Amino acid sequence: MIAIGLEGSANKLGVGIMLHPEDGSTPRVLANIRHTYVSPPGEGFLPKDTARHHRSWVVKLVKRALREAHVSVRDVDCICYTKGPGMGAPLQSVAVAARTLSLLWGKELVGVNHCVGHIEMGRLITGSTNPVVLYVSGGNTQVIAYSSQRYRIFGETLDIAVGNCLDRFARTLHISNDPAPGYNIEQLAKKGKQLVDLPYTVKGMDCSFSGILAAIDGLAASYGLNGEEKEVEDAGDDSKPTRADLCFSLQETVFSMLVEITERAMAHVGSKEVLIVGGVGCNERLQEMMGIMARDRGGSVHATDERFCIDNGIMIAQAGLLAYKTGFRTPLKESTCTQRFRTDDVFVKWRD
Amino acid sequence: METKRTISLPLPSNRLASSALQALEVDAELSPFVRRSFALKSPTQNCTADEDEAAKTVLETTYRATTNRMLRVAVNGFMESLGVVLGVMEELDVDVLTEEMEEEK
């Protein structure tokens, strides 16, 4: 079985093609094409501009994916798209393309939850069977464990996602958004030496990031580190933090919070495995910190690289194909998008 | 004062016109002050009752809004979605892809 997945809930437009062999052997990635909308430093991507980007690229990417996969229309079984959650206009622009393909090609549509897509691709690539999942990205921060046909949310952010916090701090510092602001913060953090005190806001299984963002934005302003990078920095004053120090401190604080809530979920669930998915899951420092915790508990951590961590089309194809094989279809009349689509709203029929 | 606009889009075949209608009508208008309706029409002026279904190749979209500004915003959004539909039809229809694959061999 072959599925085409279309993903465009944020600033990345992805088209992926997945093959599930008839003999039940391991699914294969046939194509994984992606194009990122990059906004200027100091700016975030807006829904209107992002949707325009997706509209102008979706046909090219589908074509490129079909060519790379050496797949014809006849070979395709279903067309999967992100039903939500995400930004309204980008989601809709991709859904319109998916609907049109479905009608022209005469194939079934499958609407996929973005979070479930990340989880299923993470499970496939890492081979982890029943891990506690930490889903961290620019739009989501959730601790998830599977139980009774649902991906249950044990803990989550109460305000902004951790990736949103990092991205907005990158805006404060006018860091480049290419390839991703989170990646650039990570590189800068490696040069940091001084740990600056920041609020630590874990609330049971949940956490909160807006206070940390306000605090570190305030610090950057008071030390004159915000805006574009100043070339002449005080060489003598060792006690004054640098931009690198602030990035280092932000990472240490927010990642420690994520490790804590994940560990608490592991204790509740009795699991020894952690799976990190979502764009922030690319961060090697987060993987390192989570690895330390998991090993202390006698377990292990699973993570994927940026081909699969960052939003992509194959995760939608993978989750869509799993649902499709259980008989799930999205009728055309119901092939809308929704900006809010809770992870635990999905009935996971393909698992025991 | 209500403002109204009708957009007629001729397409090569009823199949394409019907596909465009179905792809576009799923998304509801977000604003309660805008109402939209779709219809398939024949390009000729004859309005016979037993009109041939295959002859209906024109996608007609009618917008009604309370203000010109809301009408403009809604029609602009429609045009953008329509652009996606037409782009997919132009390059990703079955016959187009089949031709291209044969050319590559």
Side-chain angles (χ1 to χ4, degrees):
Chain A
M1 263 186 182
I2 292 178
I4 291 189
L6 302 178
E7 154 59 35
S9 55
N11 70 327
K12 285 138 194 95
L13 173 65
V15 178
I17 301 183
M18 290 290 299
L19 163 68
H20 282 207
E22 299 294 338
D23 59 11
S25 55
T26 305
R28 281 172 44 214
V29 176
L30 300 185
N32 183 19
I33 315 286
R34 182 167 59 208
H35 198 268
T36 302
Y37 170 63
V38 178
S39 48
E43 291 180 28
F45 52 89
L46 301 180
K48 169 172 61 71
D49 302 324
T50 307
R52 187 187 307 132
H53 165 270
H54 292 358
R55 287 188 200 106
S56 63
W57 277 92
V58 63
V59 168
K60 286 188 274 268
L61 295 200
V62 171
K63 205 171 219 180
R64 202 182 297 172
L66 288 171
R67 187 173 294 122
E68 180 170 304
H70 303 297
V71 156
S72 70
V73 171
R74 192 181 322 107
D75 302 324
V76 175
D77 290 282
C78 61
I79 297 168
C80 317
Y81 74 100
T82 308
K83 192 174 176 66
M87 295 174 129
L91 281 173
Q92 188 204 10
S93 58
V94 172
V96 169
R99 267 181 237 132
T100 310
L101 284 178
S102 167
L103 286 156
L104 295 182
W105 294 2
K107 310 290 179 177
E108 298 275 12
L109 264 181
V110 180
V112 174
N113 179 288
H114 183 89
C115 312
V116 172
H118 273 297
I119 295 171
E120 292 304 341
M121 182 53 67
R123 291 201 320 127
L124 172 65
I125 297 300
T126 65
S128 54
T129 51
N130 197 26
V132 166
V133 179
L134 176 67
Y135 172 36
V136 278
S137 65
N140 298 274
T141 300
Q142 291 171 349
V143 177
I144 295 159
Y146 173 79
S147 173
S148 303
Q149 250 72 54
R150 301 278 172 174
Y151 282 116
R152 312 286 173 177
I153 301 173
F154 280 66
E156 63 182 325
T157 177
L158 299 174
D159 38 50
I160 59 174
V162 61
N164 192 255
C165 178
L166 294 165
D167 289 353
R168 280 159 70 172
F169 184 59
R171 266 189 258 166
T172 297
L173 298 189
H174 262 259
I175 289 175
S176 169
N177 288 319
D178 192 15
Y183 173 83
N184 291 327
I185 284 192
E186 180 183 2
Q187 302 315 303
L188 211 44
K190 290 174 180 173
K191 304 168 190 165
K193 296 179 170 58
Q194 192 182 160
L195 184 67
V196 176
D197 262 353
L198 292 170
Y200 189 89
T201 45
V202 166
K203 301 162 185 295
M205 299 292 297
D206 298 321
C207 48
S208 170
F209 297 101
S210 54
I212 303 169
L213 178 60
I216 199 166
D217 276 355
L219 280 175
S222 63
Y223 287 118
L225 299 172
N226 54 342
E228 290 178 19
E229 185 172 8
K230 285 94 177 179
E231 292 178 17
V232 185
E233 293 206 3
D234 300 345
D237 196 350
D238 283 335
S239 64
K240 181 182 174 183
T242 65
R243 290 154 67 92
D245 291 335
L246 291 185
C247 292
F248 167 69
S249 305
L250 180 61
Q251 287 207 149
E252 295 298 300
T253 304
V254 297
F255 293 164
S256 296
M257 288 163 54
L258 297 175
V259 169
E260 179 178 340
I261 62 175
T262 304
E263 182 173 15
R264 193 165 283 126
M266 289 173 80
H268 284 309
V269 172
S271 170
K272 287 191 183 303
E273 280 181 312
V274 180
L275 170 64
I276 312 179
V277 297
V280 180
C282 287
N283 192 296
E284 287 165 5
R285 178 57 181 154
L286 172 61
Q287 294 172 18
E288 181 189 350
M289 291 169 76
M290 197 67 71
I292 293 170
M293 181 272 289
R295 278 188 294 278
D296 281 355
R297 297 185 60 84
S300 58
V301 63
H302 302 272
T304 63
D305 59 44
E306 81 284 348
R307 288 172 297 160
F308 310 108
C309 260
I310 295 170
D311 293 351
N312 56 77
I314 47 177
M315 72 187 204
I316 302 301
Q318 170 67 8
L321 210 39
L322 290 171
Y324 181 81
K325 283 153 80 173
T326 68
F328 181 83
R329 307 285 188 269
T330 303
L332 190 71
K333 298 286 186 184
E334 293 169 28
S335 60
T336 54
C337 309
T338 173
Q339 294 185 71
R340 294 178 176 274
F341 190 1
R342 300 286 289 170
T343 308
D344 46 13
D345 282 344
V346 179
F347 185 69
V348 184
K349 200 173 176 185
W350 58 89
R351 289 189 67 174
D352 299 328
Chain B
M1 147 205 157
E2 190 179 71
T3 180
K4 178 184 172 183
R5 180 69 59 200
T6 300
I7 301 153
S8 294
L9 179 79
L11 284 151
S13 70
N14 170 261
R15 169 179 170 270
L16 293 179
S18 172
S19 294
L21 186 153
Q22 292 178 79
L24 292 166
E25 73 175 347
V26 174
D27 294 316
E29 288 294 324
L30 297 180
S31 171
F33 302 111
V34 177
R35 279 176 298 128
R36 179 197 69 196
S37 61
F38 290 103
L40 291 181
K41 294 285 176 65
S42 171
T44 64
Q45 292 302 314
N46 310 334
C47 295
T48 52
D50 56 344
E51 199 165 68
D52 185 10
E53 197 66 26
K56 297 181 175 180
T57 58
V58 176
L59 172 64
E60 189 173 277
T61 310
T62 305
Y63 270 93
R64 288 177 174 80
T66 52
T67 66
N68 282 336
R69 181 182 164 278
M70 307 216 76
L71 181 70
R72 187 181 72 248
V73 171
V75 171
N76 280 353
F78 168 77
M79 288 297 189
E80 285 170 347
S81 292
L82 183 61
V84 175
V85 172
L86 295 181
V88 172
M89 289 178 169
E90 180 185 2
E91 298 204 38
L92 295 174
D93 205 347
V94 181
D95 52 343
V96 178
L97 290 171
T98 305
E99 278 177 22
E100 290 192 0
M101 290 190 76
E102 283 166 3
E103 282 173 13
E104 289 170 12
K105 288 172 183 173

